[in-house]
Amino acid sequence: MSKLSATSIRSFLLKRTFLYSALGFLVLFFVTHHAFNKSVERSAVEVAERVAKQTFNSMYLVMSQGWNRQQLNDFISQMETDNNYSDLKVKLYRGDLVNQKFGFMQSPEQTAIHKQVLASGEAQLQIEDQVLSYYYPLRAKEVCTNCHTNIEEGDTLGMIEVTQKLDRSFFNAQKELLLTLVLVSPLPLLLAFFATRQISSGVNRSITDLAERIESIESVSDLERFKQDKGSISFKELQVILSQVSSLASKLKDIAVDKELLEFEIRLLEKFVITSEVVKDWREYVSYLMVDINKVMNVYTMFSIFKVENEVFDLEIFWFQPPSKKTKELMEQAIMRRLEHDDSIFALGGVNLRHNVVNEYADEIELDQESVELQTKSLLVETPKIGGIVGIGVHSDTIQDSTKVLVLESILSTLLNVVGSVRAIYKYTKDLEYYATRDPLTSLYNQRMFWELLDYELDRSDRHGYKTALLLLDLDNFKSINDGYGHSWGDKLLADFADYLQKSLGKEAIIARYGGDEFVIVVPEADAAEASAIAELVLTTIRNHSLYYDSNTNLKLTGSLGMGIYPDHAKNKKDLFMFVDNLMYRAKSLGKDQIALPDENELVDIFKEMSDKTVLVTQAIENRELIPAFQPIVSSGDGSIHAVEVLSRIQLPDNKLMSANEFIEIAESIGKVHLLDYIVMDKAFQQVKETGYDGKVFINLSPRSIVISDFIPTIRKLAEDHQIAPETVVFEITERDTVKNIAVLESFVLNLKDQGFQLAIDDFGSGFSSFHYLKHLPIDYVKIEGEFIANMANDARDMAFVNSISQLSQELQVETVAEFVESEEVMKLVAEAGITFSQGYHIGKPTLQLAEVIQTNLQ
């Protein structure tokens, strides 16, 4: 794009002055030339009139003296001779009346204008080709009638023609005019030059002054100094511009944001970025935040208010430097005055106050009441925000600039959300860590953590060459406690016993709740003798423990224990657990309330039992003796059936059924769990087809199926063979230690989705991987860990966790299923929490016939 060239005012004025002076000179010349010509013409006319009259008068005198004809002719001849040497010529014409009286006399030939003048008796003027002709009629006077007896007074006797050439007069006049103008022309040009210079100097001086004022503005605060004092600006037009610029400066001052202020806000907001590191400890994060903020602005104190319970609040005050006792009291009083006004939500509530110091070894802060009051800015809200935060405030240097105050208020608003979010994430992370590793009822390690810790301890045993003991405890007849006193008392008994057991064994043993009323104990660096002593202590602990129910009843327990030593009795964790599990069942078969120790004479029998189970599972798979069981999943709102979960069972020779938790691990250990899945799906799909059931079918999916290349083609063929729509089949994945490569799992799941199948996360909340699955995989259903559901009526933490999962799932548009719904009370709480579907013994137990599930629901 071409740039427009600029010119100075002085140059512009000079150019225009010379241009218009030249134009003026030309105009003046032509106007003056015209005026001069007219003046010459007027003078010539006057001369012609005068000459004509003088000639007439002379002729009158001649004739009055009685001159004869000859004398008159001589007079006329002399007059014509004189005309030859002058530009002025005079001619005489006689009229007809004179010729009639005195006879014809030689005279110039008459033209039309001559005849007109003679006939009318009126003088006429004619100018053609710079020649002036004046025709003057000779009118008879009374005295003329004495000689001219044939006329009357007023008759025309003749005419005098006066002609004059004007070209020389015009030339001379124009020459003198041009000479005069040329001589005079430098004067107006010189005056114009000096006038232009003076004007441009004044304009430049005014513009320079205005420019300097504008250039002096470096920030928004400088706008305040831009005043309307006219100063050296002497032109009204520029004074108007100055006034407009001053007005603009005032407006900009109200709406503009200083670059420094923007940089200040940006630098400050950069400190508010939440990373995974900052949620380790939210108080530590706020302390680091104060350090960063003080690099930008001086903030001595920051405080935040959180609502923790009904009408109970936490007030956290963070000091950049240690406050004096008096300063601390003044700040507390100032904050409380802000909180306790009449219409505040804090007015009637209790406040838990806590002081935090960022730089404990810095100089002590000493503030007076006035500075505390004036320099404290706060933002309070009536409704708690994320993390329960209801207020935020800072105590900083006094800020006079209204824009900076606005920025500070926006920073407070941002801080309100940032600090609340960090505190919420911190609390949520802590809850996740707790629930990912701990059993929510007993606070012992959960099953998932048990396997990780056992794996870790066995690895240590291999590296350091020591033994590790494993104990499996199953409480005797615990079902009778639940049935006789209710699940709530059963839960209380389990929680109380777990606490008692933890205190009895101390920190040397790793205790976990494996599930239901089963507990596992890992004792590192323990041989058989040491493990036996601990087993005896556990048994004694159980016998000595009781829970007060009423004045007549104390709830008591007994238990059966199995014990095994690594590496004496097994070479891996799965075999060790199966060994201990067999011993525990042996203790039960021997009468319960005892320990089954691994006697050398019985080891062969135990290993044989383990081998028999393996053979049994292998035969069940080979002979297709696996059968499906169906458990209903219903709508939490109206109880209508939505889906059934397919569970695996093995038909034993004595017509008893072996549940999946007794043989799944064996099937996985021998690498045939996928065959088990095929058989159960085939039989389940057959019943779906026969009954005409059109609801969802949930299938438990072993992570080992991921590595089977023909798994997806096989299940697709099964669905096609039984005419099952893929979108009605929901595969459940659980967090297992066999899923090591999340990328492989994602690829497998996406292939499932491409085939039209749906996906659910089972036991959601039992570990961190569940959340990872929810984030990265196309999940359709979330099945909430049953332990949280079962205890939500008695434990506020479980209730909070279930509500959080429900809200999260709703935001992600994922359906939820509550497991372990075993009472009407829990069913109501599940519905109130917004959980879509429910499953559990209160709704229906697993049954071998799908038709029975459908019929029961119809009833």
Side-chain angles (χ1 to χ4, degrees):
M1 184 175 68
S2 63
K3 294 184 178 178
L4 295 175
S5 59
T7 184
S8 66
I9 293 177
R10 183 176 181 179
S11 175
F12 176 81
L13 288 174
L14 284 173
K15 289 178 182 178
R16 291 298 185 272
T17 299
F18 284 118
L19 175 63
Y20 293 130
S21 294
L23 292 174
F25 180 83
L26 293 174
V27 171
L28 179 63
F29 173 77
F30 285 113
V31 170
T32 309
H33 171 266
H34 178 72
F36 264 78
N37 286 348
K38 290 296 182 183
S39 178
V40 169
E41 286 180 1
R42 283 195 298 272
S43 297
V45 169
E46 291 175 358
V47 170
E49 287 180 350
R50 206 163 41 244
V51 168
K53 290 178 181 180
Q54 287 176 353
T55 301
F56 173 74
N57 291 333
S58 296
M59 288 177 63
Y60 178 75
L61 288 174
V62 169
M63 289 186 292
S64 63
Q65 292 176 3
W67 284 15
N68 56 30
R69 185 182 182 93
Q70 182 61 43
Q71 287 176 321
L72 180 60
N73 286 334
D74 292 340
F75 175 80
I76 294 172
S77 297
Q78 184 63 42
M79 185 178 62
E80 290 177 349
T81 301
D82 292 340
N83 288 341
N84 293 329
Y85 304 100
S86 173
D87 290 335
L88 183 68
K89 298 183 184 301
V90 179
K91 291 181 180 180
L92 183 63
Y93 293 86
R94 294 178 73 185
D96 291 339
L97 293 176
V98 175
N99 287 332
Q100 290 174 7
K101 177 70 179 174
F102 298 103
F104 182 80
M105 188 176 182
Q106 185 68 32
S107 64
E109 186 179 356
Q110 294 183 2
T111 62
I113 194 169
H114 294 145
K115 294 176 180 179
Q116 182 182 351
V117 172
L118 289 172
S120 65
E122 297 291 336
Q124 287 199 30
L125 178 67
Q126 186 180 50
I127 300 175
E128 288 183 356
D129 300 327
Q130 296 186 344
V131 176
L132 182 145
S133 298
Y134 183 70
Y135 304 96
Y136 183 75
L138 301 176
R139 307 283 294 274
K141 298 181 180 179
E142 183 181 355
V143 70
C144 294
T145 60
N146 295 328
C147 294
H148 297 275
T149 56
N150 61 335
I151 64 171
E152 294 179 359
E153 185 179 355
D155 289 341
T156 303
L157 299 178
M159 177 184 65
I160 298 175
E161 177 186 25
V162 181
T163 61
Q164 185 179 1
K165 292 183 179 179
L166 302 178
D167 52 350
R168 188 178 299 174
S169 298
F170 284 159
F171 174 76
N172 291 333
Q174 290 171 2
K175 184 173 69 172
E176 290 193 11
L177 172 63
L178 184 61
L179 180 62
T180 303
L181 289 175
V182 169
L183 292 174
V184 174
S185 61
L187 181 60
L189 289 175
L190 191 62
L191 292 174
F193 171 77
F194 285 114
T196 300
R197 184 174 181 181
Q198 186 176 8
I199 292 171
S200 63
S201 176
V203 171
N204 286 339
R205 189 166 54 252
S206 299
I207 291 176
T208 300
D209 180 60
L210 182 60
E212 288 176 352
R213 296 191 194 192
I214 294 174
E215 287 177 1
S216 67
I217 299 173
E218 298 290 342
S219 63
V220 175
S221 59
D222 293 335
L223 293 172
E224 184 69 27
R225 301 197 301 270
F226 196 97
K227 298 180 180 178
Q228 294 189 20
D229 179 20
K230 296 181 175 49
S232 60
I233 299 177
S234 54
F235 295 93
K236 289 184 178 180
E237 292 81 359
L238 291 177
Q239 288 175 359
V240 171
I241 294 175
L242 176 62
S243 298
Q244 294 295 327
V245 174
S246 299
S247 176
L248 177 62
S250 299
K251 294 177 181 178
L252 286 176
K253 179 177 169 293
D254 294 331
I255 64 175
V257 179
D258 206 327
K259 177 185 175 184
E260 290 183 0
L261 197 60
L262 285 175
E263 291 176 347
F264 158 78
E265 187 171 17
I266 290 170
R267 291 198 302 271
L268 206 55
L269 292 176
E270 283 175 349
K271 310 300 182 184
F272 298 163
V273 176
I274 302 175
T275 65
S276 58
E277 294 298 317
V278 305
V279 298
K280 292 180 178 178
D281 188 331
W282 78 273
R283 292 186 181 89
E284 185 178 357
Y285 167 72
V286 175
S287 298
Y288 288 141
L289 193 62
M290 283 196 68
V291 173
D292 287 335
I293 291 175
N294 272 275
K295 294 176 182 176
V296 181
M297 64 179 290
N298 293 324
V299 172
Y300 309 114
T301 308
M302 182 185 296
F303 59 89
S304 53
I305 309 105
F306 302 91
K307 186 173 184 179
V308 290
E309 296 177 23
N310 290 335
E311 299 182 354
V312 177
F313 301 89
D314 281 350
L315 172 58
E316 299 273 352
I317 303 178
F318 294 85
W319 296 90
F320 189 64
Q321 295 171 235
S324 66
K325 183 178 180 181
K326 180 181 178 183
T327 301
K328 188 184 293 187
E329 291 174 354
L330 289 174
M331 182 59 69
E332 290 177 7
Q333 293 168 6
I335 296 173
M336 293 307 296
R337 273 193 294 274
R338 282 172 167 77
L339 299 183
E340 293 178 349
H341 58 82
D342 294 339
D343 58 346
S344 169
I345 61 172
F346 312 100
L348 302 176
V351 176
N352 302 318
L353 195 149
R354 174 173 174 169
H355 289 270
N356 307 271
V357 179
V358 177
N359 299 317
E360 294 184 359
Y361 302 104
D363 295 336
E364 193 173 75
I365 299 176
E366 186 70 48
L367 300 172
D368 56 31
Q369 184 170 352
E370 183 178 1
S371 64
V372 167
E373 292 288 347
L374 289 177
Q375 295 172 224
T376 301
K377 304 292 181 184
S378 60
L379 174 64
L380 305 176
V381 294
E382 293 297 324
T383 304
K385 301 294 184 182
I386 186 170
I389 193 166
V390 290
I392 196 84
V394 296
H395 178 270
S396 61
D397 284 339
T398 303
I399 300 175
Q400 302 293 341
D401 193 300
S402 60
T403 308
K404 285 189 176 181
V405 171
L406 185 64
V407 170
L408 181 59
E409 289 175 354
S410 71
I411 288 169
L412 283 177
S413 179
T414 306
L415 271 174
L416 186 76
N417 292 309
V418 170
V419 174
S421 298
V422 171
R423 188 175 190 264
I425 294 171
Y426 169 77
K427 182 179 181 299
Y428 189 58
T429 303
K430 287 298 180 184
D431 287 345
L432 287 180
E433 289 176 356
Y434 175 82
Y435 287 120
T437 60
R438 298 284 177 169
D439 171 62
L441 176 63
T442 63
S443 294
L444 299 175
Y445 290 117
N446 57 19
Q447 182 184 132
R448 171 186 168 276
M449 199 62 189
F450 156 71
W451 285 112
E452 289 189 6
L453 292 173
L454 179 60
D455 195 38
Y456 173 75
E457 291 300 335
L458 297 188
D459 183 61
R460 285 183 62 203
S461 294
D462 291 336
R463 285 188 283 110
H464 299 289
Y466 60 72
K467 300 179 186 296
T468 296
L470 176 65
L471 283 70
L472 176 60
L473 166 66
D474 186 89
L475 299 178
D476 299 328
N477 304 318
F478 185 74
K479 186 175 181 300
S480 62
I481 299 289
N482 281 333
D483 293 342
Y485 299 94
H487 285 276
S488 61
W489 277 100
D491 289 345
K492 288 180 182 179
L493 184 59
L494 284 176
D496 193 59
F497 165 69
D499 183 60
Y500 189 59
L501 181 64
Q502 183 72 73
K503 291 176 181 177
S504 300
L505 297 184
K507 296 181 180 179
E508 295 181 1
I510 298 170
I511 309 174
R513 184 186 178 199
Y514 193 77
D517 56 359
E518 285 187 326
F519 297 84
V520 284
I521 302 166
V522 180
V523 187
E525 302 183 41
D527 56 19
E530 292 169 324
S532 296
I534 291 176
E536 290 291 346
L537 177 59
V538 171
L539 205 59
T540 302
T541 300
I542 299 172
R543 290 168 180 164
N544 293 338
H545 177 263
S546 64
L547 177 67
Y548 177 82
Y549 177 74
D550 57 30
S551 57
N552 298 318
T553 308
N554 285 329
L555 302 179
K556 296 182 66 64
L557 294 168
T558 61
S560 302
L561 280 85
M563 186 189 80
I565 306 296
Y566 178 86
D568 296 348
H569 303 134
K571 301 302 180 184
N572 58 65
K573 61 182 181 182
K574 295 289 186 181
D575 289 346
L576 180 63
F577 185 82
M578 289 174 63
F579 178 82
V580 175
D581 187 52
N582 273 275
L583 280 174
M584 184 272 291
Y585 278 109
R586 182 177 289 259
K588 282 191 175 292
S589 65
L590 294 174
K592 304 179 182 178
D593 191 21
Q594 58 184 286
I595 306 168
L597 300 175
D599 185 274
E600 291 293 332
N601 298 324
E602 296 176 338
L603 285 178
V604 175
D605 294 336
I606 295 172
F607 286 122
K608 184 177 182 302
E609 288 180 11
M610 292 172 59
S611 178
D612 290 344
K613 277 190 177 181
T614 302
V615 171
L616 176 64
V617 173
T618 303
Q619 288 179 347
I621 293 172
E622 291 177 352
N623 298 331
R624 296 179 59 85
E625 294 173 347
L626 290 150
I627 53 177
F630 302 91
Q631 186 174 24
I633 299 173
V634 301
S635 170
S636 300
D638 58 14
S640 60
I641 189 167
H642 172 74
V644 291
E645 180 178 356
V646 177
L647 306 170
S648 300
R649 298 288 187 265
I650 291 179
Q651 186 75 56
L652 297 175
D654 58 359
N655 291 327
K656 290 184 179 180
L657 295 175
M658 181 185 291
S659 62
N661 60 355
E662 296 182 66
F663 60 80
I664 285 293
E665 290 175 357
I666 296 174
E668 289 182 344
S669 67
I670 62 177
K672 294 186 177 183
V673 69
H674 63 289
L675 299 176
L676 182 152
D677 291 339
Y678 295 158
I679 297 168
V680 172
M681 277 191 282
D682 185 25
K683 293 186 175 183
F685 288 170
Q686 181 62 35
Q687 288 200 45
V688 169
K689 180 180 179 182
E690 291 174 352
T691 58
Y693 171 71
D694 59 358
K696 302 284 185 180
V697 179
F698 281 65
I699 306 288
N700 287 285
L701 177 65
S702 169
R704 289 188 183 273
S705 301
I706 296 170
V707 298
I708 306 300
S709 60
D710 65 345
F711 182 81
I712 292 180
T714 302
I715 61 174
R716 185 178 65 240
K717 187 176 185 306
L718 285 172
E720 290 173 353
D721 290 345
H722 295 288
Q723 300 175 349
I724 303 296
E727 60 270 17
T728 64
V729 180
V730 183
F731 286 101
E732 298 183 25
I733 61 170
T734 56
E735 188 178 26
R736 300 279 184 91
D737 57 358
T738 51
V739 183
K740 299 297 184 184
N741 191 331
I742 189 64
V744 173
L745 177 61
E746 288 181 12
S747 176
F748 175 80
V749 166
L750 290 175
N751 285 335
L752 274 179
K753 294 290 289 185
D754 288 342
Q755 298 300 322
F757 298 105
Q758 292 194 305
L759 196 67
I761 301 177
D762 196 15
D763 300 333
F764 185 86
S766 62
F768 283 119
S769 293
S770 298
F771 292 90
H772 187 83
Y773 293 166
L774 187 59
K775 178 179 179 181
H776 294 281
L777 301 180
I779 303 299
D780 300 291
Y781 292 86
V782 164
K783 299 189 74 175
I784 303 173
E785 166 66 40
E787 292 291 344
F788 302 136
I789 301 297
N791 295 296
M792 63 189 295
N794 305 314
D795 193 318
R797 292 186 304 175
D798 289 336
M799 176 70 79
F801 195 74
V802 170
N803 285 329
S804 297
I805 294 176
S806 177
Q807 291 174 9
L808 175 64
S809 300
Q810 288 173 21
E811 290 180 6
L812 296 178
Q813 296 182 339
V814 176
E815 303 285 6
T816 46
V817 180
E819 298 182 298
F820 286 23
V821 177
E822 298 182 355
S823 68
E824 183 63 30
E825 181 184 13
V826 172
M827 184 71 177
K828 277 188 67 176
L829 292 174
V830 163
E832 290 172 0
I835 299 171
T836 323
F837 305 108
S838 300
Q839 176 182 8
Y841 281 9
H842 173 71
I843 296 162
K845 295 181 180 180
T847 179
L848 300 181
Q849 298 299 321
L850 177 58
E852 292 182 15
V853 176
I854 298 171
Q855 187 62 35
T856 302
N857 183 259
L858 291 175
Q859 293 175 353

